[in-house]
Amino acid sequence: MLESVMPNTQNEGSSMKKIISIVCLAVTAATLAFSEVTFGFRGFGDFGAGTSTNIENTSTETKKNWGYGGSVFGKIPISVVENLYVQPEVGFMHNSIGLKSSKYNLNSTLSYNSIVMPVLINYGIPINQSFLLFVEGGPQVSFITGDLKDDKSKTTSDPDSRILFSAIAGIGASYAFSPAMALVTDLRYDLGFTTIKTENASEGVIPRGLNFSAGFHVKF
């Protein structure tokens, strides 16, 4: 369905690569400017919950909506409130969205890769010296890298826009093995606002999902 409205292309957007590089460098520089920063990484899996499509008579298949990836992050303390942090992240994600339509005899999977960059506000609630609960939320911008791919027909197409916007809300917990190192896990909901569609198309899909992650962080 999607591939029928777009010509195939292998061209990469050089301007998009420049934007990604500049944003990554800006986040890194801002993080390093603070002295008491916590750094960490997280691996995650994503389950499409709420992914929708406005393609006529086409639905998304829950069992085929998923993703996986990982990210690095920094926690910058906000000095006016104890246990309150700004948490910028940079990560990579592989996304898969199942599409099904009896009218168009469509049963395919749309996949793409993206660089994800949330900037969250993280507030911790200490339970004891080792265990911490936290809530987090904030905006996220994602950049589609490469082409959209139909995994069934093996065709590719260029997205109408490579920039996706969403909002993140989540809860999590961390367990400290030492004053400097802790295991961290969280559950987030990614509320997507941007429709993924091919060039010159008026229809597409809006990715939304639950994201579960685990990783660790180190305080410097």
Side-chain angles (χ1 to χ4, degrees):
M1 180 69 180
L2 285 178
E3 67 271 17
S4 66
V5 295
M6 265 301 298
N8 294 344
T9 177
Q10 299 298 325
N11 295 330
E12 292 288 338
S14 59
S15 60
M16 183 57 61
K17 292 180 180 179
K18 292 179 181 178
I19 292 174
I20 294 172
S21 299
I22 291 171
V23 174
C24 290
L25 288 173
V27 170
T28 301
T31 302
L32 293 176
F34 292 80
S35 56
E36 296 182 5
V37 177
T38 300
F39 292 97
F41 78 87
R42 53 188 290 267
F44 55 79
D46 190 84
F47 173 74
T51 296
S52 61
T53 174
N54 60 1
I55 303 173
E56 184 182 6
N57 297 310
T58 301
S59 60
T60 61
E61 294 186 272
T62 301
K63 64 181 180 180
K64 291 185 178 180
N65 282 255
W66 55 274
Y68 60 86
S71 64
V72 295
F73 63 86
K75 293 177 65 176
I76 305 170
I78 300 176
S79 59
V80 293
V81 179
E82 188 177 5
N83 297 318
L84 186 66
Y85 300 86
V86 175
Q87 182 170 311
E89 302 183 12
V90 178
F92 177 83
M93 184 172 183
H94 175 77
N95 309 268
S96 179
I97 302 174
L99 298 172
K100 188 173 183 179
S101 173
S102 57
K103 179 177 180 178
Y104 298 108
N105 193 28
L106 175 66
N107 187 8
S108 63
T109 303
L110 175 70
S111 65
Y112 64 96
N113 297 320
S114 60
I115 293 175
V116 294
M117 301 184 68
V119 178
L120 307 179
I121 297 296
N122 180 297
Y123 179 69
I125 306 168
I127 304 301
N128 54 42
Q129 289 185 338
S130 299
F131 190 59
L132 177 79
L133 299 178
F134 59 84
V135 293
E136 57 191 359
Q140 175 174 276
V141 59
S142 303
F143 304 92
I144 297 176
T145 62
D147 297 323
L148 306 176
K149 180 181 178 182
D150 187 315
D151 291 345
K152 185 176 182 179
S153 65
K154 306 301 181 184
T155 58
T156 59
S157 55
D158 195 45
D160 178 67
S161 173
R162 294 186 178 274
I163 304 176
L164 309 176
F165 296 98
S166 61
I168 302 293
I171 57 174
S174 67
Y175 183 83
F177 299 106
S178 70
M181 183 176 294
L183 175 69
V184 59
T185 182
D186 66 8
L187 178 67
R188 301 175 178 179
Y189 186 71
D190 184 351
L191 177 63
F193 301 127
T194 307
T195 301
I196 299 175
K197 57 185 179 180
T198 51
E199 278 188 337
N200 304 318
S202 59
E203 303 170 322
V205 296
I206 301 176
R208 293 173 175 169
L210 284 171
N211 182 291
F212 176 79
S213 78
F216 77 93
H217 67 232
V218 178
K219 182 177 292 186
F220 291 89

